[in-house]
Amino acid sequence: MGRATALLCAVCFVVCWHNAFGSLLAPWVGVVSVADDATPQDLHRTHSSLVNQTLLAHELQWTLVDCGSNSNMALDTMAQLDTNPHVVVVRPELPLSPAECVGRGLAAVSAEFVSVLAVGDMYTPPGLETLAWSLFSRKDTVVASSCVVRRAGSRQEPACFRMHGSCPHMPMGSLARRALMQQLCPVVKLDTIETWWSRCSAMLYHRKGTGHTVPLPLLVTSRPPPLIPALKVSSHRRSATLAPPVEIRPIERIVWQLPRLVVPPMPPKRRVVLVLLPWLYVGGTEVVVRNLMQRLQADGWTIVLACAMHAGPNSAKFIPQMQKITQDIHVLSVYLPVRDHAPFLLHLIRTRGVTVVLASNCMLFYKSVAHLRSRAPRVTFVDLLHTVSPDWLDGGFPRLSVDHHASIDYTLAISHGSLDWVIEHQPLIESRSDVMYPGVVIPATIPPFAKRKAVVYVGRMDRLKRPQVVVKAFLSAIDLLGPQTVGTRAKPRPATTLQMVGDGVMRSSAERVALKAGALAKLPTDPGMVYFHGSLNRSGVVQCLHQSRLYVLASVTEGMPLAASEAMAHGLAIIIGNVGQIKELVGDAAFRVINMTQDEDRDVELFTNATRSFFQLSEEEQQSWGDRARARMEAMYNQTTTLGRVVPLFNGFSARRDPVPARGNLARALSSYVRHNGGSLLDSTVRRQSKWHTARNCSRGMVTRVVSPRIRSQVTPTKAPPVVEPPPIESSAWPSSLWVAIVFFVGVLTLLQCRRHRCCVARKANAHVQ
């Protein structure tokens, strides 16, 4: 009996282990593909796209069904893929139709979410993780799909840019819940794969629930869209604009919870930085962060990028530039409710092994940093500040940084003025802060000044940049500079144009100003006219700078404007408003720094007078102002020098966290806790005990020796370390469900043994009576 009991206990232990860990080790996302006439190139293309997904290796499984492939090369390729533990090749014994092969593949999948992907089609990273979290975060969502890029011609299909009752945009490759797909998508023997998916997508479409299309190109396919009723398709193909979810506004009322996915934190062996931005417009802030990311990547850092909001197509225009640095890009609001933003950030920290979190002008960061830091105590949180905004939140993002300074490990500012403001409002930040000038690339050569005739504006066209002021001032100055008589010689009107580079909500307003004045140019070379280029790539912007001699900026708020510094580096004279830290940037190298008023008409007059004064100078005097601006950038704003100082700082962040104390050493554990959690209950208790013993002239040996004198001196009231939430007690290495199962089965065995004992006693008693 003893051997049988031991065997039963072993079986129960194996069953408990499988039940406890099976859900963790089982794939989370399954992809089913049918190979009937697939080529080796198509197989490798799909396999490569799945290997490069951002999901962890054990969370993704590819089920490849060999549905009668005749090519030896394709068979050899499938045999090679079958050696991968995350690829399952199913070879039916009997000939099956393509639709039946799909059914066989779905039956072999155990993942929670599943998609049917044609061989040769691809997911762009992080496509599957994005679609899976879209389903995971909304239990009522039936299917998640995305924008589609057609391989032939790279044409992007329209998509539903909002959440709604049901989503008809369901190309093959959309992700659905496995149980629901098996229930609603029966296999008909004579169906082709396309016919089966059309029927399946129609069933999912009419299913009560929600569908969600992520407005990002996550699927690359050569298949036509499924046949869905024409009425539904026509209503869906009207273009729409995605707006941030309404629930993003009351973000202060969100109570962050732990992620519902059980993901063990990865050891921080690599140097990984998670960058948080509000969005990805084409603007100076985004370019500064992009340049910093490039510098860190060149030094061996891995980059992960997350954006909190999506406010229309323009807010994602910088994604192609960021994709040159990293493919691990996440736009949270397009597929996650705001309650899951912080849990998803914690998911990124744990699954990527993040060592540093860098945020720039991101409201989500300030509202969730205490939550993240308490659950990721070995990660360094860095805040990158740009400009102080007195009219917004009593200082803008620097004010938020001051308010949450206890949870921020280090503060970087792009100017001394911004950092001085922060230190003035919170002196404790001074010891853990520094200035990082963004810097610009100084061109080795620039075109001759005599060939550069234009005036240029480069920047986002919004209400803060005020592009219409630049247009009005230029046109007024040209009118005032019309043909004049100087002595006995007639001075012609300047043959200059205004080049407007950039896009935004105020572009149409600026164009109307030029159109009303009859000065809207059709060509960039039309003299005395205004030409709107729209958004340009880097080479297009440089070309405009090479054709210009004067840069004008009339913003009402700025930090250290990158567009102005690049114009100075290319030898352009500068007329700019005196806002933010402009004086720190331009010094005495700007032709005119204008003290602006709150009256737009008055500001137009000021910029008009400055522009007219510049063109009244001689050619040599105009060039001298451009040379002075270029010399200042060479001296203080060379990007090689400015960003080079940041890399050692980040390398220090990666290595500065103390290792977790060894188990059993309580003194070391408590000392480490107090050192990183000054102001906590334990730290306050230690300080109170120290004061009590000191007041009674007790021996120092009677004081609780938890922290050393050096550490205690660091946590005095005048130099208190940041106060953070105590880190939660880490769960046991074994899941709680396993312990419950073991206790349950031990209890059952105990009851069985007791019952057996009572039965034996009863049998003996009966035998004795007989």
Side-chain angles (χ1 to χ4, degrees):
M1 280 303 295
R3 184 175 301 175
T5 302
L7 180 61
L8 179 61
C9 290
V11 171
C12 293
F13 180 78
V14 171
V15 171
C16 295
W17 183 273
H18 180 269
N19 290 337
F21 284 96
S23 59
L24 299 181
L25 300 180
W28 192 38
V29 176
V31 178
V32 176
S33 299
V34 174
D36 45 5
D37 56 351
T39 64
Q41 293 78 10
D42 288 339
L43 291 168
H44 282 300
R45 184 183 294 113
T46 300
H47 178 255
S48 176
S49 78
L50 296 177
V51 168
N52 291 324
Q53 290 298 305
T54 54
L55 289 167
L56 297 178
H58 70 271
E59 294 180 331
L60 176 61
Q61 177 180 317
W62 187 27
T63 302
L64 182 60
V65 184
D66 180 8
C67 199
S69 299
N70 298 320
S71 170
N72 291 331
M73 295 180 65
L75 293 173
D76 293 341
T77 301
M78 283 188 279
Q80 179 184 358
L81 296 176
D82 201 13
T83 60
N84 188 321
H86 305 293
V87 177
V88 177
V89 178
V90 178
R91 296 180 176 87
E93 297 180 358
L94 299 176
L96 299 177
S97 67
E100 290 176 315
C101 289
V102 172
R104 182 65 62 88
L106 292 175
V109 173
S110 59
E112 182 179 357
F113 308 122
V114 66
S115 72
V116 177
L117 184 69
V119 174
D121 292 353
M122 300 176 291
Y123 292 107
T124 62
L128 282 175
E129 187 175 31
T130 298
L131 297 177
W133 269 84
S134 178
L135 291 175
F136 175 74
S137 296
R138 302 177 178 89
K139 296 304 181 184
D140 61 339
T141 302
V142 171
V143 62
S145 55
S146 72
C147 296
V148 177
V149 176
R150 301 291 171 190
R151 280 217 314 266
S154 297
R155 179 172 57 89
Q156 184 170 315
E157 289 292 315
C160 347
F161 285 116
R162 63 186 185 277
M163 296 169 56
H164 46 81
S166 55
C167 183
H169 183 75
M170 283 183 276
M172 186 183 297
S174 300
L175 199 66
R177 303 183 188 278
R178 175 178 58 87
L180 194 60
M181 183 175 286
Q182 292 176 342
Q183 173 189 351
L184 297 180
C185 303
V187 172
V188 178
K189 182 175 181 180
L190 300 180
D191 276 352
T192 62
I193 297 179
E194 288 78 8
T195 305
W196 172 83
W197 176 249
S198 295
R199 183 182 297 109
C200 179
S201 59
M203 292 295 295
L204 292 172
Y205 172 70
H206 293 293
R207 169 78 178 184
K208 182 179 180 181
T210 63
H212 183 60
T213 294
V214 179
L216 298 172
L218 305 179
L219 178 62
V220 182
T221 180
S222 58
R223 303 274 173 162
L227 299 176
I228 298 179
L231 178 61
K232 304 296 182 182
V233 175
S234 61
S235 63
H236 130 72
R237 288 189 181 277
R238 290 197 299 266
S239 61
T241 302
L242 181 77
V246 177
E247 59 183 347
I248 261 190
R249 304 306 176 190
I251 192 172
E252 295 83 358
R253 297 200 297 268
I254 296 298
V255 179
W256 306 118
Q257 301 293 336
L258 283 172
R260 287 166 281 173
L261 277 179
V262 183
V263 180
M266 292 181 62
K269 297 179 180 179
R270 301 179 299 165
R271 293 180 297 170
V272 184
V273 57
L274 171 61
V275 179
L276 302 181
L277 291 173
W279 40 48
L280 285 173
Y281 282 102
V282 180
T285 299
E286 291 75 19
V287 172
V288 168
V289 175
R290 190 272 313 270
N291 293 341
L292 179 57
M293 291 166 56
Q294 285 179 332
R295 188 65 181 84
L296 291 173
Q297 185 192 44
D299 198 63
W301 283 76
T302 300
I303 312 296
V304 183
L305 177 62
C307 303
M309 293 185 294
H310 186 280
N314 287 336
S315 67
K317 278 193 173 182
F318 208 58
I319 286 182
Q321 296 293 324
M322 294 298 193
Q323 286 176 333
K324 298 177 182 179
I325 304 173
T326 178
Q327 294 291 319
D328 204 352
I329 300 176
H330 306 268
V331 184
L332 305 187
S333 66
V334 300
Y335 61 94
L336 288 177
V338 73
R339 70 173 183 274
D340 282 337
H341 285 190
F344 183 76
L345 294 180
L346 186 58
H347 165 79
L348 292 179
I349 291 173
R350 290 179 169 180
T351 56
R352 273 64 169 178
V354 171
T355 52
V356 177
V357 174
L358 172 67
S360 179
N361 289 358
C362 186
M363 182 73 73
L364 175 64
F365 170 74
Y366 298 112
K367 298 305 180 182
S368 61
V369 63
H371 165 87
L372 297 175
R373 192 168 188 255
S374 66
R375 287 157 178 80
R378 301 184 67 185
V379 176
T380 302
F381 292 87
V382 182
D383 191 14
L384 177 60
L385 300 177
H386 292 262
T387 183
V388 179
S389 303
D391 298 330
W392 180 61
L393 296 179
D394 193 25
F397 290 109
R399 164 56 64 184
L400 294 174
S401 185
V402 168
D403 293 343
H404 298 85
H405 77 98
S407 301
I408 298 173
D409 295 295
Y410 205 85
T411 301
L412 281 174
I414 66 170
S415 68
H416 287 281
S418 297
L419 185 58
D420 292 343
W421 187 95
V422 171
I423 295 174
E424 179 184 352
H425 288 77
Q426 180 49 259
L428 291 177
I429 295 178
E430 183 175 7
S431 62
R432 43 188 173 90
S433 61
D434 201 356
V435 173
M436 181 205 75
Y437 283 147
V440 291
V441 177
I442 309 296
T445 59
I446 56 176
F449 193 82
K451 295 183 178 180
R452 304 163 68 174
K453 302 294 185 181
V455 179
V456 67
Y457 165 92
V458 180
R460 190 165 59 241
M461 296 190 185
D462 57 23
R463 290 177 176 84
L464 297 178
K465 300 289 186 180
R466 301 198 302 177
Q468 73 278 7
V469 172
V470 178
V471 175
K472 292 177 181 178
F474 172 79
L475 295 177
S476 299
I478 290 298
D479 291 339
L480 294 174
L481 289 168
Q484 301 174 3
T485 302
V486 181
T488 59
R489 181 172 56 88
K491 185 177 180 181
R493 183 173 182 169
T496 184
T497 61
L498 175 59
Q499 310 289 318
M500 300 292 291
V501 179
D503 209 343
V505 295
M506 295 300 292
R507 176 179 173 177
S508 58
S509 176
E511 285 180 339
R512 283 195 298 269
V513 171
L515 183 62
K516 184 177 180 180
L520 187 60
K522 296 182 179 180
L523 296 174
T525 56
D526 292 344
M529 309 283 275
V530 183
Y531 185 81
F532 289 84
H533 291 269
S535 294
L536 297 179
N537 56 23
R538 171 69 181 171
S539 60
V541 173
V542 171
Q543 184 178 359
C544 285
L545 293 178
H546 284 173
Q547 296 171 355
S548 305
R549 60 174 58 187
L550 177 64
Y551 176 85
V552 183
L553 184 64
S555 299
V556 295
T557 178
E558 285 289 351
M560 302 280 276
L562 189 64
S565 57
E566 286 190 344
M568 295 173 70
H570 283 79
L572 276 72
I574 298 293
I575 297 176
I576 195 166
N578 185 15
V579 294
Q581 308 308 318
I582 292 297
K583 283 289 187 67
E584 183 178 343
L585 174 67
V586 302
D588 60 352
F591 173 72
R592 194 69 56 85
V593 178
I594 297 175
N595 295 316
M596 295 186 296
T597 67
Q598 300 296 325
D599 185 355
E600 182 174 309
D601 294 335
R602 175 58 180 160
D603 291 341
V604 169
E605 182 181 352
L606 294 174
F607 276 89
T608 299
N609 294 334
T611 305
R612 182 182 62 175
S613 298
F614 177 79
F615 280 103
Q616 286 176 339
L617 299 177
S618 65
E619 187 87 1
E620 293 76 14
E621 290 175 316
Q622 293 180 15
Q623 182 175 354
S624 67
W625 283 107
D627 294 340
R628 186 182 300 184
R630 178 173 167 84
R632 181 169 179 83
M633 292 297 100
E634 289 175 339
M636 64 167 286
Y637 228 64
N638 192 325
Q639 190 178 101
T640 305
T641 304
T642 56
L643 293 185
R645 295 178 58 248
V646 178
V647 174
L649 184 66
F650 273 72
N651 291 339
F653 292 155
S654 180
R656 84 176 183 90
R657 289 293 187 188
D658 293 341
V660 178
R663 288 187 179 182
N665 193 336
L666 179 60
R668 287 183 59 196
L670 293 177
S671 298
S672 177
Y673 176 79
V674 172
R675 181 163 63 253
H676 294 300
N677 296 272
S680 62
L681 178 60
L682 179 59
D683 176 55
S684 302
T685 303
V686 170
R687 279 196 257 125
R688 283 199 301 269
Q689 286 183 353
S690 178
K691 292 180 180 179
W692 186 86
H693 285 286
T694 302
R696 287 157 179 76
N697 297 320
C698 295
S699 168
R700 293 293 297 173
M702 298 177 62
V703 180
T704 306
R705 300 304 295 263
V706 175
V707 263
S708 66
R710 178 182 63 84
I711 297 174
R712 188 177 293 111
S713 66
Q714 295 176 357
V715 295
T716 55
T718 56
K719 284 288 185 180
V723 181
V724 299
E725 299 178 30
I729 299 176
E730 293 291 337
S731 60
S732 174
W734 288 11
S736 58
S737 57
L738 178 59
W739 290 111
V740 172
I742 290 176
V743 172
F744 173 78
F745 280 104
V746 169
V748 171
L749 290 176
T750 304
L751 292 176
L752 291 176
Q753 287 289 90
C754 293
R755 183 177 179 182
R756 175 176 172 272
H757 177 71
R758 288 196 298 269
C759 291
C760 290
V761 172
R763 281 199 301 270
K764 289 181 180 179
N766 292 336
H768 180 72
V769 171
Q770 293 174 356

